[in-house]
Amino acid sequence: MARNDPNNRVQVATVSPEGTPAIRTVILRGVTGQGALFFVTDLRSQKAEHLAENHRISVLAWYAHTREQFRFTGKAEVHNGYATGQWAMTRAQLWTGLNEADRAAFLGPPPGRGFVAPHHVELPEAPPAEFCVVSVEVTEVDWLTVGPPHRRVHFRLMGNAWVEELLVP
Ligand SMILES: Cc1cc2nc3c(=O)[nH]c(=O)nc-3n(C[C@H](O)[C@H](O)[C@H](O)COP(=O)(O)O)c2cc1C
């Protein structure tokens, strides 16, 4: 995915407690050795609120030059200030790697509410409570290549094994 798009932009869909879908772009920050995708977000954001109620998530990537679409379906886990072990380390590293403007946003007014001008803030070395990493444990992948000819392959995790099926596009 990094080879296809160095900016690693993907779309992430969550579902509100009322059942309304919501989709937005995020930067995919990496993939673990176990195949979990992860991105960072603000704990006060709508997507984090949705995931607290319903951990189901869909991630979509489209690469124009290879004409491939990947749709990942899975379960999200939000790693906040209480994270331990590897996720605590990943969270700290991702915080350090963000530029100043992006870090400042996590210390500013809450996202998605009425506009309030942000005040100048000192940036802490350790990630603030608002900064969280969302990991996605993928259970299904739908891989579509837009031809001609079109080709669609569906992968489903059954226990520990991936089951692959060629589908009509
Ligand atoms: C190119 C691009 C990259 C973005 N990357 C992120 C990101 O990594 N994390 C994030 O929370 N929001 C990111 N956003 C902003 C989201 O798309 C969204 O507007 C914001 O997170 C609020 O979403 P929500 O209210 O549905 O939670 C990005 C937006 C764009 C256009």
Side-chain angles (χ1 to χ4, degrees), residues 9 24-27 29 39-42 45-48:
R9 286 166 298 207
R24 74 291 281 167
T25 304
V26 300
I27 296 174
R29 301 285 170 174
F39 60 92
V40 301
T41 200
D42 194 311
S45 68
Q46 191 186 63
K47 72 182 87 48

Side-chain angles (χ1 to χ4, degrees), residues 105-122:
F106 288 90
L107 300 154
R113 311 279 164 78
F115 181 78
V116 181
H119 294 294
H120 174 74
V121 282
E122 290 298 324

Side-chain angles (χ1 to χ4, degrees), residues 25-120:
T25 304
V26 300
I27 296 174
L28 184 69
R29 301 285 170 174
V31 183
T32 68
Q34 289 74 39
L37 314 175
F38 57 93
F39 60 92
V40 301
T41 200
D42 194 311
L43 201 55
R44 303 167 296 175
S45 68
Q46 191 186 63
K47 72 182 87 48
E49 284 172 14
H50 288 181
L51 292 172
E53 295 285 321
N54 181 345
H55 66 183
R56 279 187 268 180
I57 194 163
S58 183
V59 179
L60 189 93
W62 158 245
Y63 302 112
H65 63 291
T66 59
R67 304 174 70 79
E68 286 171 295
Q69 172 181 266
F70 293 88
R71 182 173 58 197
F72 303 93
T73 307
K75 294 176 225 156
E77 198 178 337
V78 178
H79 307 278
N80 57 20
Y82 295 103
T84 55
Q86 188 58 50
W87 283 117
M89 282 169 61
T90 301
R91 182 171 171 267
Q93 282 164 2
L94 289 169
W95 173 253
T96 312
L98 285 189
N99 65 42
E100 285 196 9
D102 284 349
R103 270 184 283 165
F106 288 90
L107 300 154
R113 311 279 164 78
F115 181 78
V116 181
H119 294 294
H120 174 74

